[in-house]
Amino acid sequence: MAAKRVSKKKGPTPEEDAQEFFLALELLEKERGIKKEYMLEKITQALISAYKRDHEGVEENIVIQADPEKNLLRMIIRRDVVESVDNPGTEISLEEARKLLPRVQLGDVVSSEVKTKNFGRIAAQTARQVIIQGIREAERNMVFDEFFAHREELMTGIVTRIDPGSGALHVRLSSGKEFTDALLTAGEQVKGESYKEGDRIRVYVVDVKRETRGTRVLISRTHFGLVRRLFELEVPELFDGVVEIRSIAREAGSRTKMAVWSSQSEIDPIGACVGTRGQRVNAVVEELHGEKVDIIKYSDDPAEYVAAALAPASVVSVTELEERSCRVIVPDDQLSLAIGKEGQNARLAARLTGFKIDIKSVSGAADEEELAALNAEADPAEAAPAGESAQAAEDAQAEPLQDGAE
């Protein structure tokens, strides 16, 4: 019985290999969102790096031809035709060159295709590492770009872990197809608030930084920007720009003062933020877990602005002293209210307005004025007998002349 002749199975053609390669890039873009152009650039770098590992000085001699429409992917090496070859990576002998091009001459440049399957093991590993690094870098860039768009905005995350030592919360943030883990440190948490694993938490994105290990999102629950964004969510006039928040001073978990203003005289900025029956401000206070919020009207008049900032205390007068400093007189029964518990009301008013505020009661100011008046009436020669002070002053002025008398 005659043996059957078995034909050797042919492998895929270069065009089929290229087609499979470009389909893989499309699949990568679809599943991970990494652009084909970006990965093609990284793969080109990988092929060049792999070839350079076994061939020195070939940086300018390698050309990668890639055309998805024609299913073309080739690596071309250009070498100078020489008599004696010193560097096989950049030179080719005349004899070898004429096997490719019979009419080639010394000094010509010959282009030939390099089969990537002929790369050595180490070179192939180098290419693989470059490609993997490119994918990771692309994914890091995508995460950074996605979350950088949320900088100085609110995001809602899920508490995934609580550090038993520091009390820091590990929060999983998601945006689109991307997600990252952020750390809400104890210093950025509001005292009195308590969370457990699995809880949803709303945070303010303070900043987004690109680091070697990936994207780092800085989040906070104590930042005044949290209050600003919460009001913008509840008050359409703020979102539309009809009402503006000019300044915010906050002691998280306790009290916030916010100055608002409107360019349209017919709109009440405070009423817009408070809402019907306090509905809007109550929604913010609920999110802040009961933190008090004072809303005042901003004014370009420093005296009027400072007086409003000291609410709920009433103010008798405000006197502007030196630059960014003022003196406030309040009724006697309003002094403790104006200062606030442990000085909080006065402290927040100063931070809100940017003024150094000296608060006095009416009686206290009167006592100071009486004392100042007494000091003003005091005479340098008050020790002299009554009726002799004027003469004593004249004598004091005349003394230098007497010193020079003969």
Side-chain angles (χ1 to χ4, degrees), residues 135-204:
I135 293 175
R136 289 175 178 171
E137 182 182 341
E139 291 177 337
R140 285 197 297 265
N141 290 339
M142 289 166 59
V143 172
F144 176 82
D145 293 341
E146 183 68 36
F147 285 95
F148 189 80
H150 292 283
R151 192 168 62 96
E152 298 182 354
E153 298 290 343
L154 295 180
M155 293 194 74
T156 300
I158 298 176
V159 178
T160 57
R161 188 167 69 88
I162 302 175
D163 192 321
S166 65
L169 304 180
H170 294 259
V171 181
R172 172 66 57 89
L173 301 174
S174 300
S175 177
K177 295 181 179 180
E178 307 302 329
F179 69 89
T180 189
D181 291 321
L183 189 68
L184 184 64
T185 63
E188 296 298 333
Q189 298 177 38
V190 177
K191 293 181 180 179
E193 291 185 352
S194 178
Y195 297 92
K196 59 182 182 298
E197 292 183 7
D199 284 351
R200 295 177 68 83
I201 182 173
R202 183 173 282 179
V203 296
Y204 179 77

Side-chain angles (χ1 to χ4, degrees), residues 71 233 394:
N71 289 325
L233 288 175
E394 291 178 4

Side-chain angles (χ1 to χ4, degrees), residues 264-371:
Q264 301 181 19
S265 57
E266 67 274 12
I267 293 180
D268 176 16
I270 296 178
C273 293
V274 172
T276 305
R277 298 180 181 178
Q279 182 179 3
R280 293 173 176 176
V281 69
N282 287 340
V284 175
V285 170
E286 183 179 355
E287 173 63 34
L288 298 176
H289 296 168
E291 183 176 317
K292 296 179 181 178
V293 178
D294 297 335
I295 305 174
I296 70 161
K297 188 175 181 179
Y298 172 83
S299 175
D300 289 327
D301 180 3
E304 185 178 344
Y305 188 25
V306 170
L310 287 170
S314 57
V315 173
V316 174
S317 66
V318 178
T319 304
E320 191 172 357
L321 304 176
E322 56 189 30
E323 186 178 0
R324 309 306 292 178
S325 178
C326 64
R327 187 184 191 191
V328 178
I329 308 299
V330 300
D332 290 356
D333 62 348
Q334 297 282 299
L335 181 60
S336 60
L337 187 61
I339 295 175
K341 185 179 180 180
E342 298 180 351
Q344 184 186 69
N345 194 58
R347 186 167 58 250
L348 286 174
R351 286 165 52 189
L352 184 74
T353 61
F355 274 80
K356 182 179 179 181
I357 303 175
D358 180 23
I359 304 175
K360 298 292 182 182
S361 65
V362 172
S363 60
D367 291 342
E368 282 193 0
E369 289 178 1
E370 184 178 350
L371 181 61

Side-chain angles (χ1 to χ4, degrees), residues 12-200:
T13 64
E15 290 76 14
E16 291 173 340
D17 281 338
Q19 183 179 17
E20 184 178 353
F21 168 77
F22 290 118
L23 286 174
L25 291 186
E26 290 179 2
L27 184 62
L28 190 63
E29 181 176 18
K30 183 178 180 180
E31 292 184 350
R32 299 197 184 184
I34 304 175
K35 297 294 184 182
K36 291 186 296 183
E37 295 77 12
Y38 173 85
M39 280 311 304
L40 187 59
E41 179 183 353
K42 290 298 178 181
I43 290 171
T44 298
Q45 294 175 2
L47 292 174
I48 294 175
S49 297
Y51 189 79
K52 283 165 54 178
R53 186 171 187 88
D54 296 329
H55 304 82
E56 296 182 359
V58 296
E59 287 82 356
E60 303 297 329
N61 298 67
I62 303 175
V63 177
I64 303 295
Q65 296 178 346
D67 189 343
E69 295 181 359
K70 297 181 179 179
N71 289 325
L72 176 66
L73 179 65
R74 295 196 304 172
M75 182 175 181
I76 305 298
I77 181 71
R78 293 175 177 173
R79 292 177 291 179
D80 297 326
V81 179
V82 296
E83 288 185 358
S84 177
V85 176
D86 295 324
N87 186 348
T90 59
E91 299 172 338
I92 185 173
S93 66
L94 180 61
E95 182 181 355
E96 290 295 324
R98 284 183 172 171
K99 292 179 180 179
L100 301 173
L101 296 173
R103 298 182 180 180
V104 73
Q105 300 294 327
L106 289 174
D108 290 345
V109 177
V110 173
S111 298
S112 57
E113 184 176 356
V114 178
K115 300 296 182 181
T116 55
K117 63 181 180 181
N118 295 331
F119 284 3
R121 180 178 60 83
I122 296 178
Q125 288 179 348
T126 301
R128 181 174 178 271
Q129 289 173 358
V130 172
I131 293 172
I132 292 174
Q133 183 180 356
I135 293 175
R136 289 175 178 171
E137 182 182 341
E139 291 177 337
R140 285 197 297 265
N141 290 339
M142 289 166 59
V143 172
F144 176 82
D145 293 341
E146 183 68 36
F147 285 95
F148 189 80
H150 292 283
R151 192 168 62 96
E152 298 182 354
E153 298 290 343
L154 295 180
M155 293 194 74
T156 300
I158 298 176
V159 178
T160 57
R161 188 167 69 88
I162 302 175
D163 192 321
S166 65
L169 304 180
H170 294 259
V171 181
R172 172 66 57 89
L173 301 174
S174 300
S175 177
K177 295 181 179 180
E178 307 302 329
F179 69 89
T180 189
D181 291 321
L183 189 68
L184 184 64
T185 63
E188 296 298 333
Q189 298 177 38
V190 177
K191 293 181 180 179
E193 291 185 352
S194 178
Y195 297 92
K196 59 182 182 298
E197 292 183 7
D199 284 351
R200 295 177 68 83

